[in-house]
Amino acid sequence: MKRSLVLILIVVALSLSAAFARATPPSGVASGTVLARGTAAETLVIGTPRTTTVTKKVKIRVARKVVIKRVKVQVESVQPLMTCGGSNACETVVQQVTINPSGHTGWHTHPGPTFVAIAQGEGTLYHSDQAGCPGHKFGTSSGFFQPSADVHLLRNEGSTPLVIYAFYVLPPGTPNTAIRTDRPAPVNCPSIP
C-alpha cells in the first residue's frame, strides 16, 4: 500500500513539473500595472452573437379547419460568455501593460472576457485554435476582444514599446495574481514563443 502511494505521488509530481515546464511565461513585459478595480452588480450578459434556429407551432385557420404546422425560424441571439448580476456580481479590472520590442505575453488565458485597446505601438495577436497560427496586427487606437477560453499570445514585433490597456470582467474574488493563466505552447504554433 505504501509503495503504491509513493509511486502515485511521484507520478503526480512529475506530471505537475512537466506541466509547469511547458508553460510559456511572458518575456520583455516591462510592466503590468493594475490601475483600477471595481464590482459590477448590475445584470449584465457578455457574449458573442450567433444565429439560432427555433421551431414553433403555428395554427392557421383555413376555411373551417385549423391546420397546425411546424415552422423553423432563424433568430439572432447571444452565446453567453459571462453573466453578472444579483448575487453573482462580477469584478472589473483595468490594467496597463507595456511590452518592449521583441517581447511577448506568453501563451495564456484569462478567467473572464477581456477587452484590449492599443495605446501605443503595434502588437501581433496569435490564437492557438487557428491553423498555422496566423498573426493579426493591431496598431495604435485599435482594439480587440478575447473570450476567456481562448489561448492567445500578443507579441511586440515593432521597434518601439507596445502599450495596451486591458479591461477584464472577472469572476468574484479573482485576485490580481490570477488575472492570467500561463498555458503551454500549442503544438500547432511551434515557431511562436
Side-chain angles (χ1 to χ4, degrees), residues 1 3 10 15 23 28 30 34 58 82 92 97 99 113 116 137 181:
M1 176 73 170
R3 184 177 242 167
I10 290 171
S15 297
V34 171
V58 178
M82 185 171 228
T92 59
V97 179
I99 304 170
V116 175
K137 291 193 182 294
T181 303

Side-chain angles (χ1 to χ4, degrees), residues 32 34 37 91 93 95 109-111 168 170 173-182:
V34 171
R37 287 188 72 101
E91 297 203 20
V93 175
Q95 182 180 35
T109 58
H110 303 284
Y168 307 97
L170 304 170
T174 303
N176 288 347
T177 56
I179 288 175
R180 65 169 275 138
T181 303
D182 288 348

Side-chain angles (χ1 to χ4, degrees), residues 72-109:
K72 291 186 178 183
V73 180
Q74 300 250 330
V75 295
E76 296 299 316
S77 86
V78 173
Q79 172 66 44
L81 299 173
M82 185 171 228
T83 302
C84 307
S87 63
N88 187 34
C90 292
E91 297 203 20
T92 59
V93 175
V94 176
Q95 182 180 35
Q96 179 186 3
V97 179
T98 301
I99 304 170
N100 289 325
S102 302
H104 61 82
T105 61
W107 290 101
H108 66 282
T109 58

Side-chain angles (χ1 to χ4, degrees), residues 8-26:
I8 290 170
L9 290 174
I10 290 171
V11 169
V12 169
L14 289 173
S15 297
L16 287 174
S17 66
F20 288 119
R22 288 192 322 255
T24 55

Side-chain angles (χ1 to χ4, degrees), residues 135-186:
H136 304 279
K137 291 193 182 294
F138 293 93
T140 302
S141 299
S142 65
F144 55 88
F145 171 74
Q146 286 300 137
S148 58
D150 183 51
V151 179
H152 60 282
L153 176 143
L154 181 63
R155 186 163 68 182
N156 181 352
E157 297 173 350
S159 59
T160 61
L162 168 64
V163 179
I164 66 168
Y165 286 88
F167 175 74
Y168 307 97
V169 181
L170 304 170
T174 303
N176 288 347
T177 56
I179 288 175
R180 65 169 275 138
T181 303
D182 288 348
R183 296 293 181 198

